[in-house]
Amino acid sequence: MRGRNRIWLLLVSLFSNAAWSDSQLNLTKGVTAISNEVYDLHMLVLYICTAIGVIVFGVMFWSIIFHRKSKGAKPADFHESTKIEILWTAIPVVILIAMAIPATSTLIAMEDNSDSDITIQVTGSQWKWHYKYFDQDIEFYSVLSTPREQYENHNGEPATRSEHYLIEVDKPLVIPVNKKVRFLLTSDDVIHSWWVPAFAVKQDANPGFINEAWAKVDKPGIYRGQCAELCGKDHGFMPVVVEVKSEEDYQQWLKEQQQLIADAANAEQASLSASMSKEELMQLGESTYLAHCAACHQPTGLGIPPAFPALKGSPIATTGSIEEHIDIVFNGKAGTGMQGYGKQLSLKEIAAVVTFERNAWGNDTGDLVQSADVKAASGE
Amino acid sequence: MTTDTLENTEHHEEHHAQPSGIKRWLYTTNHKDIGTLYLWFSFIMLLVGGGLAMIIRAELFQPGLQIVEPDFFNQLTTTHGLIMVFGAIMPAFTGFANWMIPMMIGAPDMALPRMNNWSFWILPFAFSILIGSFFMESGAPNFGWTFYAPLSTTYSNGSTAFFVFAVHIMGISSIMGAINVIVTIMNMRAPGMTYMKMPLFVWTFFITAYLLIAVMPVLAGVVTMVLTDTYFGTSFFNAAGGGDPVMFQHIFWFFGHPEVYIMILPAFGIVSTIIPAFARKKLFGYSSMVYATASIALLSFIVWAHHMFTTGMPLFGELFFMYCTMLIAVPTGVKVFNWVATMWRGSMSFEIPMLFSIAFVILFTIGGFSGLMLALTPVDFQYHDTYFVVAHFHYVLVTGSLFSIFAGTYYWLPKWTGHMYNQTLAQWHFWCSIISVNLLFFPMHFLGLAGMPRRIPDYALQFADFNKWVSIGGFAFGLSQLLFLAVVIKCIRSGEKAADKPWDGAEGLEWTVASPAPYHTFSTPPAIKDE
Ligand SMILES: [Cu+2]
Ligand SMILES: [Cu+2]
């Protein structure tokens, strides 16, 4: 008897709210009204299922223990009962209706995209997110910031891994607290899915179509999620990080961003007349390449043929014209993994990365490319 | 046993020129031979698919990329899924259908024996193409077993053509198998065996065969569209050409949802045969079982988009598919209640087939519960594409379908081989499997709820502990299946001679013939007694 009590205690503690709500075992409650409703719904069904399970398995184990042949049980000979069968068809229907009612109201609330304060376009591409603030002229890419050495460890484990290993980015999305933020989701290539568990928002980003979702966050903080739809090789390396700021901090951040954009435009202008040395170009080129190109073309320049071509020894990066080379990097190639980097990188970076590709891995063309060449070849 | 002696004399008359060796198997039109081929083929595929899963679990044992590259990881998950669904589970059930349906309905063979031979023998080609693509320049398919466009079309690694042809062949094989099952059941039942007197096992395969005929052509259609989008410039799923990538998912899941019932209805049939045998009591609610099976099959056609709640469906669509999906819980519940009622006040014993069946009832029901949770659209937004889903479908497919296959194999092995299996080894197989399979799949629920997406080769540090346990469970479960192989081989080679009816509570025509079942059974139809 004591043993059974202990099992009960264990079960109860396992399924009690207190043990689950804050631990990693369970769904997050999140930080929006919707995510809390979703959490409650999740717990409701979990309890109902557990209760049904206890009853059904209880009856089953009762007969397993008491109605066994070795105990001399003689089989009864009933094998149908219309009354009971109607009963256990009807009761589940009632339980289902009881679940469907809160589910319906939560769903209707989730799908109400009207009256938003801010709208942000979220675009997935292999394998990063692009955020564009409507009415603010602010846009940027958000890329995994965990260094490669931390996860590519075929030759041994790294000494340390960062705290937010694989769920950290260079530039998080920033939104204000207590404002209804509407997300418009789309994709440049394959289907991705933008997911922040703390907001209970998971919405596919479909190429050529726009989906909607929204969140009104109660609490400033940093919230992390990941791409949830298989989108190719680096699907596991495409985190979503959202920083929720107080209204003042958010306004401050907007100002900083505008300043950064102005600075970048000035630097872009300045770079047109400046000329960089080979060392400078190669150094910047290598870091740009590793950050933006190595995922597909590999740090060795060998690519992963046939999906991702080698650049080492490739005609475009050796004997071909510099203009063509710039063109494919700047504008990309539609319908392939090769996206245009004109929007993502500065002229200087593109000049550097093209120089790097034409001089690294034995592609010793000796060509130097400057920002002005990129500007000229890009046709803008 | 009058039928029995008749069989034996006829056997000698008809088959003096039967080829032996490999030719026997290549040319065979005998339902038992073909059943055996299907069962061995599916077991080999189980080991291949399981081997791929072991590499996946080895990579996921700890954070970081240690063993495989991300792209190869995607090839592993894709082919693991395809092989397990189309190579292991479905052919195993076709094997059961071939062996048991004629014997259960008192027919001499399947209705279309030559087509039967063909429907088996094209399968090895399909899987050679699929597995062979690992060794080609493109690599194996890497877009998930659900092959969502445009990842499988415009952005494919070049394996799409092999994949499409492999799936086409599998589909043709399934359709032929299904036609054979339907024609056999409709035309070859022994006189007096009305539909409502058929064993429930036969009913579930009958309904499954209709599902197959209904949806396999849809699969063939969608892979063909993927093929032409990839290689012939069409734009069914390419937005730039006026197509719609989400339409792919609608067509795929219109096949895909009935497909999951194709993999579970036969399991219901097997378990509904075994539980009464070892509870020594008739199946409770036979006719409600038939109606429940049929309604599950019908409902399976109007719930497909519950796989697609995050694609941006209109509210009305989400509500419709949520309600329909929840409805499936009703007939499924009826089944579980009926099994429990069959055990209630029975006289139970716990031979291996019964152990696997009881495990099936409990663990399949757990998979059903998580299915119900997934049906609720608002929470599905959180569960979708996480390990919670992975846990869900492995509970219904591994501890559901696969366990029923184990249960059925142990149950009929004496009839197939003429020997009893080794009790001790089989007990080891059961207990090792049941412990390791839960270690393997239960923690996946927690991983999913904590936010781990599926199909990723590496993960954030908070998922590390559970993944380690899951991997250990995975290796243990994989190795446990070698015990199963040992039991089966031992049982074929030697073992205590099995009686014609080794289980005292068993019912059905298959137990009226000798063990092992003679090469030809019921050349003259048996008489069905009225009750
Ligand atoms: Cu993605
Ligand atoms: Cu992804």
Coordinates of all heavy atoms in Angstrom, one line a residue, chain B residues 158-182:
Chain B
G158 N 19.6 17.4 -57.1 CA 19.8 16.6 -58.3 C 19.4 15.2 -58.1 O 19.4 14.4 -59.0
S159 N 18.9 14.9 -56.9 CA 18.4 13.5 -56.6 C 16.9 13.3 -56.9 O 16.4 12.2 -56.8 CB 18.7 13.1 -55.2 OG 18.0 14.0 -54.3
T160 N 16.3 14.4 -57.3 CA 14.8 14.3 -57.5 C 14.4 13.3 -58.5 O 13.4 12.6 -58.2 CB 14.3 15.7 -57.9 OG1 14.7 16.7 -56.9 CG2 12.8 15.7 -58.1
A161 N 15.1 13.1 -59.6 CA 14.6 12.1 -60.6 C 14.6 10.7 -60.0 O 13.7 10.0 -60.1 CB 15.5 12.2 -61.8
F162 N 15.7 10.4 -59.3 CA 15.8 9.0 -58.7 C 14.7 8.8 -57.7 O 14.1 7.8 -57.7 CB 17.2 8.8 -58.1 CG 18.3 9.0 -59.0 CD1 19.3 9.9 -58.7 CD2 18.4 8.2 -60.1 CE1 20.3 10.1 -59.6 CE2 19.5 8.3 -61.0 CZ 20.4 9.3 -60.7
F163 N 14.5 9.9 -56.9 CA 13.5 9.8 -55.9 C 12.1 9.6 -56.5 O 11.4 8.7 -56.1 CB 13.5 11.1 -55.1 CG 12.3 11.4 -54.3 CD1 12.1 10.7 -53.1 CD2 11.3 12.2 -54.8 CE1 10.9 11.0 -52.4 CE2 10.2 12.5 -54.1 CZ 10.0 11.8 -52.9
V164 N 11.8 10.3 -57.5 CA 10.5 10.2 -58.2 C 10.3 8.9 -58.8 O 9.2 8.2 -58.6 CB 10.3 11.3 -59.2 CG1 9.0 11.1 -60.1 CG2 10.2 12.7 -58.6
F165 N 11.3 8.3 -59.4 CA 11.1 7.0 -60.1 C 11.0 5.9 -59.0 O 10.1 5.0 -59.1 CB 12.2 6.7 -61.1 CG 12.0 7.5 -62.3 CD1 13.0 8.4 -62.8 CD2 10.8 7.4 -63.1 CE1 12.8 9.2 -63.9 CE2 10.6 8.2 -64.2 CZ 11.6 9.1 -64.6
A166 N 11.7 6.1 -57.9 CA 11.6 5.1 -56.9 C 10.2 5.1 -56.3 O 9.6 4.0 -56.1 CB 12.7 5.4 -55.8
V167 N 9.7 6.3 -56.0 CA 8.4 6.4 -55.4 C 7.3 5.9 -56.4 O 6.3 5.2 -56.0 CB 8.0 7.8 -55.0 CG1 6.6 8.0 -54.7 CG2 8.9 8.2 -53.9
H168 N 7.5 6.2 -57.7 CA 6.5 5.6 -58.7 C 6.4 4.1 -58.6 O 5.4 3.5 -58.6 CB 6.9 6.0 -60.1 CG 6.3 7.3 -60.6 ND1 4.9 7.5 -60.4 CD2 6.8 8.4 -61.1 CE1 4.6 8.7 -60.9 NE2 5.7 9.3 -61.3
I169 N 7.6 3.5 -58.5 CA 7.6 2.0 -58.5 C 6.9 1.5 -57.2 O 6.1 0.6 -57.2 CB 9.0 1.5 -58.7 CG1 9.6 2.0 -60.0 CG2 9.0 -0.1 -58.7 CD1 11.1 1.6 -60.2
M170 N 7.3 2.1 -56.1 CA 6.6 1.7 -54.8 C 5.1 1.9 -54.9 O 4.4 1.0 -54.5 CB 7.1 2.6 -53.7 CG 8.6 2.5 -53.4 SD 9.0 3.9 -52.2 CE 10.8 3.9 -52.5
G171 N 4.7 3.0 -55.6 CA 3.3 3.2 -55.7 C 2.6 2.1 -56.5 O 1.5 1.6 -56.2
I172 N 3.2 1.8 -57.7 CA 2.6 0.8 -58.5 C 2.5 -0.5 -57.8 O 1.5 -1.2 -57.8 CB 3.5 0.6 -59.8 CG1 3.5 1.8 -60.7 CG2 3.1 -0.6 -60.6 CD1 4.5 1.8 -61.8
S173 N 3.6 -0.9 -57.0 CA 3.6 -2.1 -56.2 C 2.4 -2.1 -55.2 O 1.7 -3.0 -55.1 CB 4.9 -2.2 -55.5 OG 4.8 -3.1 -54.5
S174 N 2.3 -1.0 -54.5 CA 1.2 -0.9 -53.5 C -0.2 -1.0 -54.2 O -1.1 -1.7 -53.6 CB 1.2 0.5 -52.8 OG 2.4 0.5 -52.0
I175 N -0.4 -0.3 -55.3 CA -1.7 -0.4 -56.0 C -2.0 -1.8 -56.4 O -3.1 -2.3 -56.2 CB -1.7 0.6 -57.2 CG1 -1.7 2.0 -56.7 CG2 -3.0 0.4 -58.0 CD1 -1.6 3.1 -57.7
M176 N -1.0 -2.5 -57.0 CA -1.3 -3.9 -57.4 C -1.6 -4.7 -56.2 O -2.5 -5.6 -56.2 CB -0.1 -4.4 -58.2 CG 0.0 -3.8 -59.5 SD 1.2 -4.6 -60.6 CE 2.7 -4.5 -59.7
G177 N -0.8 -4.5 -55.1 CA -1.1 -5.3 -53.9 C -2.5 -5.1 -53.4 O -3.2 -6.0 -53.0
A178 N -2.9 -3.8 -53.4 CA -4.2 -3.5 -52.9 C -5.3 -4.1 -53.8 O -6.3 -4.6 -53.3 CB -4.4 -1.9 -52.9
I179 N -5.2 -4.0 -55.1 CA -6.2 -4.6 -56.0 C -6.3 -6.1 -55.7 O -7.4 -6.6 -55.6 CB -5.8 -4.4 -57.5 CG1 -5.8 -2.9 -57.9 CG2 -6.6 -5.2 -58.4 CD1 -5.3 -2.6 -59.3
N180 N -5.2 -6.7 -55.5 CA -5.2 -8.1 -55.2 C -6.0 -8.4 -53.9 O -6.8 -9.4 -53.9 CB -3.8 -8.6 -55.1 CG -3.6 -10.0 -55.7 OD1 -4.6 -10.7 -55.9 ND2 -2.4 -10.3 -56.0
V181 N -5.8 -7.7 -52.9 CA -6.4 -7.9 -51.6 C -7.9 -7.7 -51.8 O -8.7 -8.5 -51.4 CB -5.9 -6.9 -50.6 CG1 -6.8 -6.9 -49.3 CG2 -4.5 -7.3 -50.1
I182 N -8.3 -6.7 -52.5 CA -9.8 -6.4 -52.7 C -10.4 -7.5 -53.5 O -11.5 -8.1 -53.1 CB -10.0 -5.0 -53.4 CG1 -9.6 -3.9 -52.4 CG2 -11.4 -4.8 -53.8 CD1 -9.7 -2.5 -53.0

